[in-house]
Amino acid sequence: RRRLESELEDIRGAGTWKNERVIASRQGPHLCLAGGGAGILNFCANNYLGLSSHPEVIRAAVEALEKFGAGLSSVRFICGTQSIHKDLEEKIARFHQREDAILYASCFDANAGIFEALLTPEDAVLSDELNHASIIDGIRLCKANKYRYKHMDMQDLEAKLQDAQKHRLRLVATDGAFSMDGDIAPLREICQLAQKYDALVFIDECHATGFLGPNGRGTDELLGVMDKVTIINSTLGKALGGAAGGYTTGPKPLIDLLRQCSRPYLFSNSLPPAVVGCASKALDLLMESNAIAQSMAAKTQRFRSKMMAAGFTILGKDHPICPVMLGDARLAAVVAGDSDSPCVSSPGIYVIGFSYPVVPKGKARIRVQISAVHSDEDIDRCVEAFTEVGRKHGALP
């Protein structure tokens, strides 16, 4: 107990303590917080398309709950597969234009389950240094030879691919869109190098599925390489309804192998029917029309351009993840609102400061996330709050 309390005190002293604010309403652009605080503008959710509270998505969840029950109390291969699970997997594969798909409890589980099942000590995996923690952890679980290339550095990736030619199979693993920096992997160049050195390409599309690309299919559609990417892992817990769940989609033999060997799939309960209902309806809405996905670009540009005009540094480009760079962890916490001093939360803007170990030391930030259901007025009010508070705390001249 003494050791743990000392470690916790060190976290507080470093200014990296993470508070959990309690929400007393459904997810959406406007929130109510427990203990007061109604009408808070929410700018830190992964609810990119606003589908977490979409009436048709909620109705589909209720219908699935009533028809198929609360849960399966089982893993898939024993007695945990329902018709809705198979229907959703088929729909995911069709959406991504792949052969097959497999559901997981989360994309973290999907990333934990694929590398160990696919790669052996004879193989190699080449990973971007800023890949999501779940990719890093998944790679740690496998016995393949591990290479890490500099972030989006194609020269370094090529050098690593040349060195990896001695291995049987080479897999390049990258986020499609990087969640902390809001930048997009150079998939065209990655796929060209993969073809040159006879490698496969894996992308994690959690922060791309549903809203990047002409039809929201993700970064491979955005960059025109859908036929060059072999494996896609993504989530149902962000743009696709926001409930939970993840998946792998790709060649059918790979999906068949995962059903036999992927430990998070074999040893985790099936996705609850309500979650399946949510995600299935979200995909229906996306495949019926690309209007929601296309609405993101103008809103994202409005926020980014106004914040940069005010003097803030915003990482990434053309992505609704808009990291407002502040550098110092304490400054990020104070500006976001984890203190009693004037903060962005005071005017009713819900944002969170990110610091080590979520991001590297010295690169603290407030990650603002734009949603299709934010109005122009919501965005302008957020920019005004940042500008006012930034000046008070010295984040702006």
Side-chain angles (χ1 to χ4, degrees):
R1 180 180 290 271
R2 285 194 299 271
R3 180 177 64 81
L4 293 176
E5 288 175 347
S6 175
E7 287 184 19
L8 292 172
E9 193 56 41
D10 288 344
I11 294 172
R12 290 188 184 94
T16 59
W17 185 266
K18 296 159 192 65
N19 290 311
E20 296 182 0
R21 302 176 192 174
V22 180
I23 299 170
S25 62
R26 64 179 59 183
Q27 182 66 273
H30 304 104
L31 298 175
C32 293
L33 300 181
I40 304 296
L41 276 177
N42 182 14
F43 275 91
C44 60
N46 297 316
N47 185 24
Y48 293 110
L49 300 178
L51 297 182
S52 296
S53 301
H54 194 287
E56 291 186 50
V57 172
I58 294 172
R59 191 178 308 116
V62 172
E63 290 172 358
L65 182 67
E66 291 177 340
K67 182 174 181 180
F68 291 98
L72 278 299
S73 305
S74 177
V75 300
R76 287 285 296 272
F77 81 94
I78 299 178
C79 62
T81 299
Q82 292 176 317
S83 58
I84 53 173
H85 294 102
K86 300 304 293 182
D87 291 344
L88 178 55
E89 286 169 338
E90 185 278 330
K91 197 174 292 186
I92 288 168
R94 181 156 39 93
F95 177 71
H96 285 285
Q97 298 181 1
R98 296 310 197 272
E99 292 179 11
D100 202 357
I102 180 173
L103 292 170
Y104 287 88
S106 68
C107 190
F108 205 112
D109 278 349
N111 286 341
I114 189 166
F115 300 104
E116 183 183 28
L118 178 62
L119 303 175
T120 74
E122 299 179 62
D123 305 317
V125 57
L126 302 95
S127 175
D128 188 294
E129 65 180 351
L130 293 189
N131 275 340
H132 191 268
S134 59
I135 299 175
I136 295 169
D137 285 358
I139 290 172
R140 283 174 177 162
L141 291 170
C142 79
K143 296 179 180 179
N145 298 274
K146 302 169 180 66
Y147 295 80
R148 185 174 66 176
Y149 63 92
K150 296 174 184 176
H151 181 49
M152 301 200 308
D153 185 328
M154 295 300 95
Q155 186 175 353
D156 192 40
L157 173 58
E158 182 166 20
K160 298 294 194 303
L161 279 167
Q162 290 170 346
D163 190 40
Q165 288 300 292
K166 56 183 175 283
H167 303 298
R168 181 190 67 167
L169 178 76
R170 291 155 296 283
L171 179 69
V172 180
T174 181
D175 278 317
F178 291 85
S179 62
M180 287 299 144
D181 291 341
D183 48 7
I184 295 171
L187 284 183
R188 289 195 191 99
E189 293 81 358
I190 289 173
C191 290
Q192 287 169 359
L193 287 174
Q195 186 172 9
K196 180 178 179 180
Y197 293 99
D198 193 24
L200 305 177
V201 177
F202 161 97
I203 53 174
D204 179 312
E205 288 284 76
C206 287
H207 292 276
T209 298
F211 57 93
L212 288 187
N215 300 289
R217 290 190 171 95
T219 54
D220 61 336
E221 183 188 47
L222 176 72
L223 299 174
V225 291
M226 291 186 70
D227 61 335
K228 303 286 194 305
V229 173
T230 308
I231 307 165
I232 293 173
N233 277 11
S234 194
T235 183
L236 306 172
K238 292 182 171 60
L240 300 184
Y247 58 85
T248 297
T249 185
K252 189 177 188 309
L254 169 65
I255 303 305
D256 289 343
L257 178 69
L258 294 175
R259 292 192 195 280
Q260 302 304 312
C261 303
S262 181
R263 291 164 70 85
Y265 179 80
L266 291 171
F267 297 101
S268 296
N269 262 18
S270 311
L271 272 184
V275 173
V276 177
C278 282
S280 185
K281 176 54 68 174
L283 281 169
D284 287 343
L285 293 172
L286 278 176
M287 288 192 280
E288 287 168 8
S289 169
N290 66 353
I292 303 176
Q294 291 300 305
S295 71
M296 294 295 300
K299 296 175 188 290
T300 298
Q301 179 58 29
R302 185 182 188 92
F303 179 80
R304 283 180 169 274
S305 61
K306 290 201 168 197
M307 286 290 283
M308 288 188 287
F312 286 102
T313 298
I314 311 294
L315 289 190
K317 181 182 178 183
D318 301 331
H319 194 285
I321 291 174
C322 304
V324 182
M325 298 304 294
L326 297 170
D328 181 72
R330 290 181 181 277
L331 178 62
V334 168
V335 171
D338 290 341
S339 71
D340 295 326
S341 59
C343 59
V344 175
S345 294
S346 299
I349 310 296
Y350 190 169
V351 291
I352 297 293
F354 284 69
S355 56
Y356 181 82
V358 180
V359 296
K361 289 182 178 179
K363 294 189 177 181
R365 68 201 64 183
I366 296 171
R367 188 180 70 174
V368 175
Q369 291 172 269
I370 307 300
S371 172
V373 288
H374 283 133
S375 67
D376 288 347
E377 291 75 17
D378 293 338
I379 292 169
D380 292 348
R381 183 176 158 198
C382 183
V383 173
E384 289 167 5
F386 263 98
T387 303
E388 178 185 344
V389 175
R391 285 176 180 150
K392 285 181 179 177
H393 291 290
L396 288 177

